[in-house]
Amino acid sequence: MESLFLWEIGTPVVYGIWLLVFVLQVAVAEINRRWNWTIFVFWTVGGLLLMPYAAKVAVPIVGWFPFGKYAIMVATATMTGFLLWWGKRNPVKAHRYAIWMGVALWVGLAANIMEANIRDITIYLSAGDYYACAADWQCLREINATHAAEMINGLPESRGVTAALHSPEWYQAVAANFEAGHVGIDPETGFRTIGGYWNIMSAVAGLLNIITITGLGKIFITSRKDQKVKGLIWVDMVWPWVIAYDLWNHAFLYNSLADYTWYCTFALLLACTIPAFTWAKGQWIWFRCFTLMFWIAANNLLPSLLVPPGIMHNYATMDPMANIVSAVLALASNIALFIYWLYKIIKYKRNPLTGVLYCETKEFAEIMRTHADEKDKYFVVDHTKATPKELGFEPESDTPPKDGWVGVMPWWKNDKRFDKPRTPIEADERAAKKIALGNETGNEKA
């Protein structure tokens, strides 16, 4: 079949299903954003109630790993939804404990990336075993025997084989096609894969992507009163990081789940990136969480439909050059991001976790103008030298509101916010008492 570098040229059905999957993913995440109760109904209660069914139908087909991912995503979606729900109702605490909200989101995000890095390295180390299994007709027969669905017939390597289906001769011919194409197969999952140095490149890119996550202490909830839809705003997660993440995630999945990537990278990544760059700026983490939740749930609840081979799948070309190009783009973009990250930290003397790094970018300013009220405009940059006016946030006044939010870290013993016009620490009575106690202790030691 003809191909376009990464994937084969599919049938009209494949493109129609792709559009349906894309629309459904965006729609579900948007519904969850607008009506938060749907998160707890669909994903918390529904997700838990459907776990026994998912284990029954998915594990025999795809194994325990996707089911474990499903359980993790139920917990992650519940936590993310709770943070938005709780933040709307407890603005003082949400700002006081913003760093812990950020840490919770960081743990979920970093754990998912690191899990992928480990998988990349595993594929690199196991590449020889995967190639050997694919070239062994008995190993292919064993894959079909140990899975509750057809895993081999329908794959590109089975095309043109005229021997009786599932006969030794049929498996031998399929194995010969695998060997001729130098394509491997994971005996545990039944997924085609090819391993090589590109796996290591992708894993390094993923590690850099974790390191460059910033702005944990300045996550806030939409506070402008004219914004009817309140979002969970991770304002420092601007386009350099998002694009680097997307390129890394595509490279990883193309390395490990190549035949899934028509949907789980091309559709899934666009379903969170497009909203984050258009009508839901600053909310990439939200759309990433709930589009992924939708896709993982669908794969566990409808594995017979969504696990290849099947009519809805557009298969990867299994051309090593596609893996290499994907990995090179992922690594190059994340190295560039890391250099930019270092530049911001060193030049401006900023802490990438407690404060923000990218407040000079146009995207950052647009997010602040769209989602932040006067209090948040001063809160977000109280660790930086520049003022909201200098950064283009368009504050109503050059004087910070006296009843604004205080960006004090829980472990501080004194106020380390930048020495400039800022909301007085007394605006948060609890933070003020903590800092005062820290100053008294320091004076006694002196």
Side-chain angles (χ1 to χ4, degrees):
M1 184 175 287
E2 294 183 4
S3 64
L4 290 172
F5 192 54
L6 294 173
W7 302 287
E8 296 180 341
I9 297 177
T11 64
V13 171
V14 165
Y15 296 102
I17 294 176
W18 183 94
L19 183 61
L20 176 64
V21 168
F22 171 78
V23 170
L24 284 174
Q25 288 174 143
V26 176
V28 167
E30 185 65 23
I31 288 170
N32 292 157
R33 187 173 75 106
R34 290 173 177 269
W35 299 284
N36 299 156
W37 61 267
T38 61
I39 298 166
F40 308 109
V41 172
F42 294 162
W43 307 129
T44 307
V45 177
L48 288 172
L49 290 177
L50 287 170
M51 272 190 186
Y53 175 79
K56 180 180 179 180
V57 301
V59 172
I61 296 177
V62 294
W64 284 103
F65 180 79
F67 176 75
K69 192 81 169 180
Y70 171 70
I72 291 171
M73 284 308 304
V74 167
T76 301
T78 300
M79 177 198 70
T80 305
F82 173 79
L83 289 178
L84 179 57
W85 175 85
W86 177 79
K88 289 178 180 179
R89 289 155 181 79
N90 300 277
V92 175
K93 291 182 179 179
H95 287 82
R96 181 190 298 151
Y97 303 124
I99 184 65
W100 300 125
M101 291 173 61
V103 168
L105 292 169
W106 179 86
V107 168
L109 181 57
N112 271 283
I113 297 173
M114 186 54 69
E115 175 187 57
N117 294 341
I118 293 170
R119 177 61 178 161
D120 245 329
I121 294 171
T122 300
I123 291 173
Y124 173 76
L125 297 175
S126 304
D129 295 335
Y130 295 164
Y131 289 127
C133 176
D136 181 353
W137 72 272
Q138 292 177 315
C139 188
L140 296 180
R141 184 173 64 179
E142 184 66 15
I143 290 173
N144 258 351
T146 54
H147 290 76
E150 174 64 57
M151 303 299 290
I152 307 300
N153 186 37
L155 293 177
E157 288 76 17
S158 70
R159 295 170 186 160
V161 176
T162 57
L165 182 64
H166 297 154
S167 66
E169 293 77 16
W170 183 85
Y171 280 113
Q172 288 167 6
V174 174
N177 288 340
F178 267 106
E179 186 172 20
H182 196 55
V183 175
I185 194 167
D186 181 348
E188 292 186 12
T189 63
F191 299 155
R192 298 192 305 157
T193 185
I194 55 176
Y197 61 85
W198 44 86
N199 294 101
I200 302 302
M201 296 170 67
S202 176
V204 172
L207 182 60
L208 290 173
N209 204 247
I210 293 174
I211 292 171
T212 51
I213 297 173
T214 64
L216 276 62
K218 295 301 178 182
I219 295 172
F220 67 97
I221 311 299
T222 297
S223 50
R224 277 191 56 156
K225 292 182 180 180
D226 58 347
Q227 283 288 343
K228 294 182 180 179
V229 181
K230 307 297 183 184
L232 187 66
I233 310 301
W234 195 331
V235 68
D236 218 30
M237 197 167 272
V238 290
W239 72 265
W241 189 89
V242 171
I243 295 300
Y245 175 93
D246 284 355
L247 290 172
W248 160 77
N249 192 252
H250 165 75
F252 155 66
L253 286 166
Y254 201 79
N255 288 340
S256 61
L257 300 171
D259 289 332
Y260 276 79
T261 52
W262 176 245
Y263 298 105
C264 70
T265 60
F266 189 40
L268 186 55
L269 289 176
L270 285 178
C272 56
T273 301
I274 290 176
F277 288 172
T278 52
W279 73 86
K281 291 181 183 294
Q283 298 168 70
W284 178 90
I285 191 67
W286 182 271
F287 280 84
R288 179 57 178 165
C289 175
F290 290 101
T291 54
L292 185 58
M293 178 73 254
F294 170 84
W295 179 248
I296 294 295
N299 272 270
N300 277 270
L301 300 174
L302 301 169
S304 296
L305 175 65
L306 298 179
V307 174
I311 61 169
M312 68 175 286
H313 293 96
N314 199 19
Y315 294 101
T317 60
M318 289 298 166
D319 178 357
M321 186 55 64
N323 295 76
I324 293 168
V325 170
S326 297
V328 167
L329 289 174
L331 184 57
S333 63
N334 277 279
I335 288 174
L337 174 64
F338 181 71
I339 293 170
Y340 185 43
W341 176 81
L342 277 179
Y343 164 77
K344 285 287 188 179
I345 293 171
I346 295 171
K347 180 176 180 179
Y348 296 100
K349 296 181 174 59
R350 291 174 180 167
N351 186 316
L353 301 180
T354 59
V356 292
L357 282 192
Y358 307 120
C359 49
E360 288 83 9
T361 65
K362 291 181 180 179
E363 182 184 357
F364 194 109
E366 186 175 353
I367 293 169
M368 293 302 295
R369 291 192 297 268
T370 303
H371 292 283
D373 64 7
E374 197 77 352
K375 293 181 181 181
D376 275 322
K377 287 176 181 178
Y378 281 92
F379 164 77
V380 167
V381 291
D382 61 7
H383 291 193
T384 66
K385 181 179 179 179
T387 66
K389 183 178 181 179
E390 291 169 338
L391 293 167
F393 298 173
E394 299 177 0
E396 296 174 5
S397 172
D398 292 339
T399 303
K402 293 182 179 180
D403 62 343
W405 313 121
V406 178
V408 173
M409 294 299 111
W411 55 88
W412 285 1
K413 293 184 177 179
N414 51 64
D415 192 348
K416 297 182 180 180
R417 293 177 297 163
F418 204 89
D419 188 14
K420 66 178 183 181
R422 63 195 183 193
T423 298
I425 197 168
E426 290 76 20
D428 186 335
E429 184 178 350
R430 186 165 180 175
K433 287 181 178 179
K434 179 178 178 60
I435 294 299
L437 180 61
N439 288 333
E440 289 175 9
T441 303
N443 292 332
E444 289 174 3
K445 290 181 178 180

